[in-house]
Amino acid sequence: MVVPLQNTVRDYAWGSPTALPELLGVEPDGTPQAELWMGAHESAPSVLPSGDTLYDVVSADPEAVLGAETAERFEGRFPFLAKLLAAGQPLSIQAHPSREQAIDGYRRDEEAGIPRDAADRNYKDAWPKPEILIALEPFDALVGFRPLERTVALLDALAPTGFGELTDQLRNGKLREAFTEFMSRDRDAIRPLVGALGEAVAQYQGDAFALERETLAKLCADFPDDPGVLAALLLNRVRLQRFDAVYLPAGNVHAYLRGLGFEVMANSDNVLRGGLTSKHIDVPELVSVVDFEPLADPVLTATAVGDDVLTYETGCEYFAIHRVDLDSGEKTLDGEGPRIVCCVAGTVDAAGKDSVVTLSAGQSAFASGTEGPCTLRGSGTAFVVSAR
């Protein structure tokens, strides 16, 4: 079957009040609209035309919906979650665990008797949460640790008071120690450092590090006693252009700052936070999953795999993602396993064996794991997410 999906918008405080309504072609109501979820996550599953949720349908008969192979590989769980994400304010500094770390952390939280919906629980499930964010407009983010020599150059240029020890640690290659020390300080100790950093940014007259200075100035003003501001000093500051992407495997420290994007992740709730948030923070657990290897170039671009079809190569075992750009054309995509088609521009028809769904920007459709090839027609751009 290929059927339209009715999806839920999550109104997190960091969301943009205008970006999603503008994409969907509806009037904004003034409330923050952060994420539109597409998939079978139990907390906000998509609804099928029958009125059943995709979560309930998958739970009732995983093989019929996912296909036998996908159902077996992922133990009857829908393997991925797709979202339209609209950030009007920064999200938290965070990282996600590997599969092994998630299994161990979930076991520990279960044995400790922490309720699965508790705000202070670290591991909601036993899955990792690798994810990709593809920009639909210029999108700002902090992604992975910047090469140390460049961070030292930034600190030397700004020369904020009280940061000499950090700079020396980085010169000596002690990134883990520097990150852990700053993230572990209490807010009373953080406030003067953030104040000194904000003052140094305001006084800097050079031409270098324009994006970094822009972000640090905002964070210092908005989060005056938050250690996440200091973490931002260590991370790559990127501005993605339309259809550029960042892939965030296990251990990658990151924070989305502002913009509209299409996001795909493994179907998990496991987020370990370190700052820029009022939610639960567990620095020791965060540090235990972080990958401290610097990332020289975090931006991922799509690769053409045929006429009008591009793919984002991530190596992720939970999903594959293709972009289809049509100009009054047609493209058939082979595939097995469940798929979600999301239109982000123009109008695209998604056709299966005996059904057609017409999608405009922001709308999506579901193809079951037993459907076979799916054909897209029209003039527009759509993402097709499938189980790998």
Side-chain angles (χ1 to χ4, degrees):
M1 61 177 178
V2 177
V3 295
L5 294 176
Q6 179 181 336
N7 302 307
T8 298
V9 173
R10 312 306 297 266
D11 58 351
Y12 306 135
W14 50 260
S16 165
T18 58
L20 277 178
E22 288 176 1
L23 180 70
L24 295 166
V26 299
E27 285 294 321
D29 62 8
T31 61
Q33 298 190 19
E35 296 179 344
L36 184 148
W37 287 24
M38 295 163 271
H41 194 284
E42 51 264 45
S43 66
S46 298
V47 179
L48 303 172
S50 64
D52 298 315
T53 71
L54 190 53
Y55 175 79
D56 287 338
V57 171
V58 172
S59 299
D61 193 347
E63 288 194 11
V65 183
L66 304 179
E69 182 181 345
T70 301
E72 181 179 2
R73 283 183 60 209
F74 298 109
E75 300 175 340
R77 184 177 175 90
F78 200 95
F80 61 82
L81 176 66
K83 302 177 181 181
L84 289 167
L85 182 148
Q89 298 292 330
L91 282 68
S92 60
I93 297 283
Q94 59 185 257
H96 309 298
S98 68
R99 173 69 164 160
E100 294 75 18
Q101 290 164 340
I103 290 172
D104 179 64
Y106 182 76
R107 175 190 55 77
R108 285 186 279 116
D109 282 358
E110 288 286 282
E111 291 176 351
I114 305 173
R116 294 182 189 178
D117 60 352
D120 61 347
R121 177 158 174 156
N122 288 322
Y123 296 92
K124 312 293 187 183
D125 51 66
W127 273 40
K129 194 185 176 188
E131 62 188 44
I132 185 173
L133 186 286
I134 304 170
L136 299 181
E137 62 179 33
F139 194 102
D140 292 332
L142 300 167
V143 183
F145 290 107
R146 188 188 299 108
L148 296 186
E149 64 274 12
R150 184 163 172 80
T151 298
V152 169
L154 171 62
L155 285 164
D156 283 344
L158 296 176
T161 302
F163 284 74
E165 181 181 351
L166 169 65
T167 305
D168 289 342
Q169 285 177 314
L170 297 178
R171 281 198 176 96
N172 293 321
K174 296 182 178 180
L175 176 59
R176 173 188 282 270
E177 292 83 352
F179 179 83
T180 303
E181 179 183 339
F182 268 140
M183 299 303 287
S184 301
R185 293 189 182 187
D186 62 35
R187 293 184 179 270
D188 288 340
I190 289 296
R191 183 178 288 275
L193 291 173
V194 173
L197 179 60
E199 183 177 346
V201 170
Q203 293 178 351
Y204 180 71
Q205 299 297 314
D207 296 327
F209 302 106
L211 290 178
E212 289 84 353
R213 289 186 288 113
E214 172 188 309
T215 295
L216 291 172
K218 178 172 176 54
L219 294 181
C220 287
D222 293 349
F223 301 92
D225 58 358
D226 195 310
V229 177
L230 306 182
L233 267 175
L234 306 175
L235 302 178
N236 288 298
R237 170 63 165 87
V238 299
R239 175 164 289 165
L240 304 175
Q241 300 304 314
R242 183 169 171 83
F243 297 143
D244 284 345
V246 287
Y247 176 59
L248 309 167
N252 181 296
V253 181
H254 60 278
Y256 298 145
L257 298 173
R258 189 176 185 87
L260 176 67
F262 182 73
E263 186 181 35
V264 184
M265 63 194 63
N267 193 10
S268 170
D269 269 337
N270 288 328
V271 180
L272 297 165
R273 300 178 177 88
L276 309 185
T277 182
S278 60
K279 293 183 178 180
H280 174 61
I281 291 175
D282 187 335
V283 171
E285 194 65 31
L286 171 68
V287 170
S288 75
V289 307
V290 165
D291 180 357
F292 285 95
E293 185 68 27
L295 184 61
D297 185 9
V299 179
L300 176 67
T301 56
T303 302
V305 293
D307 294 341
D308 306 322
V309 181
L310 303 97
T311 189
Y312 292 84
E313 294 288 353
T314 65
C316 178
E317 64 179 294
Y318 294 89
F319 58 81
I321 181 166
H322 292 83
R323 190 179 91 230
V324 182
D325 298 320
L326 296 173
D327 184 8
S328 300
E330 176 179 303
K331 196 70 183 180
T332 297
L333 298 181
D334 295 329
E336 298 179 355
R339 281 150 289 166
I340 288 177
V341 180
C342 179
C343 179
V344 295
T347 303
V348 174
D349 290 341
K353 289 181 289 191
D354 52 13
S355 59
V356 179
V357 178
T358 298
L359 304 173
S360 57
Q363 296 179 332
S364 60
F366 171 69
S368 70
T370 59
E371 180 64 29
C374 183
T375 299
L376 303 186
R377 307 185 187 100
S379 295
T381 295
F383 291 105
V384 180
V385 187
S386 60
R388 184 174 289 278

